[in-house]
Amino acid sequence: MQDYRRGSQWRRWDLHVHTPETKKNDMFFGRTSEDKWNAFYSDIEKYIGDGTDPVKAIAAIGITDYLSIDNYIKVKADKKLPKCIDLLLPNIEMRISVTAHDSPVNIHFIFDPAFDNYIESRFLANLKFSYPNNGCFSATKSELIRLGKAYD
């Protein structure tokens, strides 16, 4: 049971963590996909340690990717993050066409992990956009593949 008399406790969160096989700028190293993922988990473990160092311990991580939670699902299923990470969140990143100081603006959608089974059908499927002379698309994986084929 948690002792609520001790007051507030500050804990570190990192809500913008890209993984190997991220949809944009995968800068992870390894000969194979498995090598990249093993190095990713190893680097996190080395940095965070066992969670006893309050300067390094991270309590929550947002697994981030562009218009996808595929890598969040993988990390969740792998169960290889340090045990001190109490919360794993899906974070969908989108770049919008507005620029700020010559840089694109990114928007992040961080979801309750209890909702992760519905993100594609209730969120991504309802993000609609058009591509000239090719009709309307949504942001689901199948529709983004269809857009890519239309773009080629």
Side-chain angles (χ1 to χ4, degrees):
M1 177 173 264
Q2 193 168 7
D3 183 3
Y4 293 101
R5 294 171 291 169
R6 80 173 250 190
S8 298
Q9 179 182 7
W10 289 92
R11 299 174 74 196
R12 291 180 59 211
W13 288 29
D14 189 342
L15 299 179
H16 192 170
V17 176
H18 283 276
T19 64
E21 301 177 335
T22 185
K23 303 296 184 272
K24 185 170 174 51
N25 267 345
D26 181 349
M27 301 178 86
F28 292 90
F29 298 103
R31 289 179 314 135
T32 66
S33 175
E34 185 177 356
D35 288 345
K36 288 181 177 187
W37 279 99
N38 288 336
F40 169 78
Y41 288 122
S42 177
D43 287 347
I44 288 177
E45 182 74 39
K46 282 181 207 166
Y47 179 76
I48 294 175
D50 64 2
T52 58
D53 182 346
V55 173
K56 291 185 174 183
I58 295 177
I61 289 183
I63 300 297
T64 306
D65 210 345
Y66 289 88
L67 296 173
S68 173
I69 62 164
D70 291 348
N71 292 337
Y72 158 81
I73 298 295
K74 177 178 176 26
V75 170
K76 181 180 169 183
D78 286 350
K79 297 181 181 184
K80 292 183 179 181
L81 292 175
K83 300 295 181 232
C84 66
I85 298 173
D86 295 327
L87 183 61
L88 182 65
L89 298 161
N91 178 356
I92 294 178
E93 186 168 0
M94 290 179 21
R95 185 166 285 172
I96 61 175
S97 59
V98 174
T99 58
H101 301 288
D102 297 325
S103 294
V105 174
N106 289 349
I107 298 173
H108 291 262
F109 299 90
I110 300 171
F111 294 91
D112 180 337
F115 185 71
D116 63 10
N117 289 329
Y118 305 102
I119 292 171
E120 184 162 28
S121 63
R122 292 188 183 175
F123 178 71
L124 294 173
N126 289 303
L127 292 177
K128 305 288 184 184
F129 55 94
S130 61
Y131 180 61
N133 302 320
N134 287 282
C136 186
F137 297 86
S138 74
T140 63
K141 187 174 187 173
S142 62
E143 285 288 284
L144 292 173
I145 290 170
R146 189 170 72 87
L147 170 64
K149 289 177 180 177
Y151 184 77
D152 282 342

